[in-house]
Amino acid sequence: MKIIACYSNKGGVGKTATSVNLAYVSAGKGYRTLLCDLDPQGASGFYFRVKPSKKLPNSSFFEDAGKTASAIRASDYDNLDLLPANFTYRDFDIFLSQMKNKRSRLKKVLKAVNTDYQVVILDCPPNISLLSENIFKAADVVVVPVIPTTLSVRTLQQLYQFFRDNGYKEKKILPFFSMVQQSKNLHRETMAALQKEYKSLLKSYVPFSTDVERMGIHRAPVLTFASKDQASLAYQKIWNDIEKGLKIKG
């Protein structure tokens, strides 16, 4: 089982859109895929029309792996299940801080579904916290959407620094550009500069797309209703890069 985290410590960069579309591509390729929504806003579940389990508070999530597994719901798509978030997840950090092995609890929870899924995708909330450290420990790769603007680049630099300072493996970080507008000088210049600085940056990037914004209206991955959109093609390329890098096999 490979664990792919879609993470950024900045909000509004396209984490959930990335999670939803990568999960859809993974399932479409025949991999048994679980999309685990860790963000209390529950946007991944919304996109897939899956309601959160009110019977799974944060305490049960980390203490009762069987109960967590029972909260997994099927989606409308073959090979794709969801573990939807609920609003109690906002207190994850408070709860984790009171537990033993507080930085490795997520990995333990995911072990409970290890035999059921080949791919687990984590839709992560935008902060650096105890939950984030659980994510960094559990994930095989941390996929980071980066809008080519000053603040988004700054948060990527902060993330690399945090990994260095806390002994996490920097090679897990896999950034890619998101919401790119090639008509903007700032975007083109920022992309050129970062590609020189970070060799791990994916060459594939997701352009700004109104179709991605319409995912909330369709409540579905963009690939299902705009498969020829440049953003749809980009998500497929990014998945191919991840699949090759992690050597995911059916």
Side-chain angles (χ1 to χ4, degrees):
M1 184 178 76
K2 298 297 185 184
I3 300 173
I4 301 164
C6 295
Y7 173 86
S8 171
N9 40 333
K10 187 177 186 310
V13 297
K15 289 185 297 297
T16 297
T18 302
S19 303
V20 166
N21 286 293
L22 291 185
Y24 177 79
V25 177
S26 171
K29 286 210 165 191
Y31 299 120
R32 297 188 308 277
T33 303
L34 174 66
L35 174 54
C36 181
D37 192 352
L38 296 173
D39 191 330
Q41 296 181 57
S44 285
F46 174 81
Y47 281 136
F48 282 110
R49 302 172 187 269
V50 175
K51 293 182 179 179
S53 172
K54 295 180 181 178
K55 296 180 180 179
L56 187 66
N58 53 19
S59 56
S60 297
F61 187 99
F62 290 109
E63 286 186 334
D64 189 339
K67 197 168 184 178
T68 302
S70 70
I72 292 172
R73 301 286 182 264
S75 77
D76 292 336
Y77 306 99
D78 291 341
N79 300 318
L80 178 54
D81 292 341
L82 261 82
L83 180 57
N86 66 56
F87 208 54
T88 69
Y89 288 15
R90 71 189 188 282
D91 295 327
F92 266 171
D93 265 28
I94 297 173
F95 188 76
L96 283 167
S97 68
Q98 299 166 350
M99 301 184 77
K100 293 181 179 177
N101 303 317
K102 55 190 175 185
R103 288 178 175 79
S104 55
R105 301 299 299 200
L106 179 62
K107 194 169 187 175
K108 185 177 180 181
V109 170
L110 294 177
K111 277 186 179 178
V113 298
N114 185 37
T115 57
D116 296 327
Y117 298 99
Q118 294 160 291
V119 174
V120 173
I121 295 179
L122 307 175
D123 182 13
C124 309
N127 48 43
I128 292 184
S129 61
L130 268 178
L131 176 61
S132 306
E133 294 192 69
N134 273 266
I135 291 163
F136 302 154
K137 273 183 170 284
D140 293 292
V141 65
V142 180
V143 180
V144 185
V146 181
I147 300 174
T149 58
T150 306
L151 284 181
S152 191
V153 169
R154 182 170 175 266
T155 56
L156 178 63
Q157 294 166 338
Q158 289 174 332
L159 181 61
Y160 272 104
Q161 188 63 52
F162 186 84
F163 268 59
R164 283 193 290 272
D165 291 346
N166 292 277
Y168 295 114
K169 297 177 182 175
E170 284 184 69
K171 65 181 182 181
K172 284 188 177 185
I173 300 176
L174 190 64
F176 71 95
F177 289 114
S178 173
M179 301 183 190
V180 172
Q181 294 177 271
Q182 285 284 5
S183 60
K184 293 184 175 180
N185 288 337
L186 175 62
H187 282 207
R188 294 198 306 274
E189 292 167 1
T190 303
M191 290 172 72
L194 258 69
Q195 281 164 346
K196 290 180 182 177
E197 184 176 356
Y198 297 108
K199 301 303 180 187
S200 59
L201 252 170
L202 292 180
K203 292 181 179 177
S204 303
Y205 66 84
V206 179
F208 178 83
S209 168
T210 55
D211 283 324
V212 173
E213 292 183 323
R214 290 180 182 277
M215 284 172 54
I217 297 172
H218 291 274
R219 297 187 69 178
V222 67
L223 288 111
T224 64
F225 61 88
S227 60
K228 294 183 180 179
D229 184 90
Q230 290 302 310
S232 295
L233 300 176
Y235 285 125
Q236 293 181 69
K237 288 180 181 177
I238 289 169
W239 169 261
N240 291 341
D241 290 336
I242 295 170
E243 182 183 38
K244 184 179 178 181
L246 292 180
K247 300 178 181 177
I248 303 172
K249 296 179 181 178

